[in-house]
Amino acid sequence: MSIAYDAPATLAGFDQTRRQLADAYALGRSLAGDVDRIHFVACGSANRAMRGLAWWIEHLSPSLEVKRSFPAEFMAQDPRRLDGRTLVFLASKSGNTPETVAAAGFLKDRPAKVVAFSQFADRPLAREVGTTFLVGDTAESFTAMAMLMHALVAGLLAERDGWTEAGNLMAGLDALPAAVCQAAVANDARAARDAEAFRDDDRIYHVASGPGFTTAYVFGVCILMEMLWLHSYPIDAAEFFHGPFEIVDKQTPLVLLMGEDPTRPIMDRVERFCDTYAERVMKYDSRVYPMPGVPASARPILAPYVLQAALKRYAAHLSVLRDQPLSTRRYMWKVAY
């Protein structure tokens, strides 16, 4: 199995996304006066990207309400405030996710505005929703869809709340694909060493804070659990000292994800504890990655995606050492569930 990282192909895979950033931003600006609340709805990695987006809206906007749901719970809840001033984001990488497609159908009878994010136009989600942003054939669909969602939200915040950093974020989004590729290449040797050191562990804990939890979840659940069948648990740093830290001893394998957002002090506290009581810790700090072209004010927002790219190299090397391709599944797409 080949795990060589093809940076030029990965970078080219972002072209379609980059071309739509301005359109997503413009849509956000055009909707700003007609929207009072945002409802994020998706499964899996898209749902966790939305967690980061919701965190930033709560942090930056004095006027927008925001909520995030999985599609099945969203339909079961049938929110009463799902009115004409609600904007619903639907996202599915494949465009086939049954629950998300069902939510699109559910929304047809509601007055809410809906925009969908996916890969291809010929899939059910894109066919169900009138306004869509499609990232095409890319190896980084998670980051690509998140980029377009961030652009749309940036337009909303700029127009509605006068957010002055929207231009810097848009510049950062345009530069993010190159920063992601650079981080993956730069981390490859270290990722190989980490994979060798932790090759026989069947449980790994990932700790991150605030919007960085997006990466802890996506890497832990959507890659190590789903693709390598490891017992991989994401832990919110804000919760760490309220139960989870009791499992830490000298042998406990931990990944600490250090970001640059306002929750960094929460992770610093976790790091200090682990420096004292744990010995098998992998620290991934976004500050070591240069992120060329990303303005300083946009780094905290985009750091989780750079860390995600770096960590994926660790998973790639681990897949070779454990002789399990990342495409392997036991149940997904194979059985009824």
Side-chain angles (χ1 to χ4, degrees):
M1 116 183 69
S2 173
I3 60 162
Y5 186 73
D6 190 340
T10 303
L11 187 60
F14 280 106
D15 286 349
Q16 182 170 327
T17 297
R18 292 176 68 202
R19 287 195 297 270
Q20 297 174 88
L21 288 172
D23 292 339
Y25 180 79
L27 178 62
R29 291 193 71 120
S30 71
L31 291 174
D34 301 321
V35 170
D36 293 326
R37 63 192 60 83
I38 293 175
H39 211 126
F40 290 113
V41 181
C43 296
S45 62
N47 182 286
R48 297 305 163 156
M50 291 168 167
R51 174 182 165 133
L53 281 149
W55 193 96
W56 284 109
I57 292 171
E58 291 278 13
H59 179 65
L60 295 169
S61 175
S63 63
L64 276 173
E65 296 179 25
V66 61
K67 187 172 182 182
R68 176 182 53 87
S69 304
F70 291 96
E73 68 174 345
F74 171 74
M75 290 183 284
Q77 188 177 47
D78 191 8
R80 286 295 174 263
R81 285 181 288 173
L82 201 64
D83 59 19
R85 295 188 65 82
T86 303
L87 174 61
V88 181
F89 285 55
L90 295 176
S92 163
K93 179 178 76 171
S94 68
N96 296 323
T97 309
E99 298 96 325
T100 310
V101 174
F106 170 88
L107 284 162
K108 284 188 172 179
D109 297 328
R110 271 68 179 178
K113 301 170 178 58
V114 183
V115 59
F117 301 82
S118 190
Q119 280 193 281
F120 305 111
D122 62 348
R123 305 295 170 81
L125 181 61
R127 292 199 297 264
E128 286 282 335
V129 179
T131 303
T132 59
F133 288 94
L134 305 172
V135 300
D137 188 10
T138 168
E140 297 289 348
S141 58
F142 160 70
T143 296
M145 289 196 300
M147 287 169 62
L148 290 167
M149 287 191 276
H150 272 292
L152 200 160
V153 169
L156 275 171
L157 297 182
E159 184 70 22
R160 183 183 178 88
D161 298 323
W163 186 46
T164 58
E165 295 295 336
N168 281 335
L169 178 58
M170 291 302 292
L173 289 170
D174 189 58
L176 184 60
V180 160
C181 292
Q182 187 184 75
V185 172
N187 195 57
D188 196 55
R190 185 218 160 151
R193 293 193 300 272
D194 283 346
E196 182 64 38
F198 291 82
R199 62 183 296 174
D200 296 323
D201 287 279
D202 64 358
R203 61 189 171 101
I204 299 178
Y205 299 89
H206 312 271
V207 189
S209 61
F213 190 77
T214 289
T215 302
Y217 183 94
V218 172
F219 182 69
V221 174
C222 301
I223 296 181
L224 295 193
M225 267 190 181
E226 180 180 321
M227 301 177 183
L228 291 174
W229 307 348
L230 295 174
H231 296 265
S232 173
Y233 303 97
I235 301 170
D236 194 315
E239 186 187 16
F240 185 76
F241 294 105
H242 302 278
F245 76 143
E246 289 292 347
I247 53 90
V248 173
D249 60 24
K250 301 294 185 186
Q251 299 304 314
T252 307
L254 291 151
V255 179
L256 305 187
L257 301 175
M258 316 293 291
E260 302 173 37
D261 59 82
T263 68
R264 171 82 182 212
I266 302 174
M267 272 307 296
D268 289 340
R269 183 184 174 200
V270 172
E271 181 185 32
R272 290 193 296 272
F273 177 87
C274 291
D275 284 345
T276 302
Y277 298 104
E279 291 184 348
R280 304 185 67 232
V281 180
M282 290 177 274
K283 296 178 185 177
Y284 279 80
D285 191 334
S286 66
R287 289 175 176 169
V288 307
Y289 298 103
M291 301 188 209
V294 176
S297 64
R299 285 183 62 102
I301 298 174
L302 302 182
Y305 307 103
V306 172
L307 289 176
Q308 175 77 8
L311 281 167
K312 284 180 72 175
R313 296 310 299 157
Y314 164 60
H317 287 285
L318 202 57
S319 75
V320 172
L321 296 174
R322 296 179 69 91
D323 193 25
Q324 181 166 328
L326 296 175
S327 57
T328 306
R329 300 291 186 279
R330 255 196 292 244
Y331 310 113
M332 190 174 286
W333 312 309
K334 292 185 174 181
V335 303
Y337 52 90

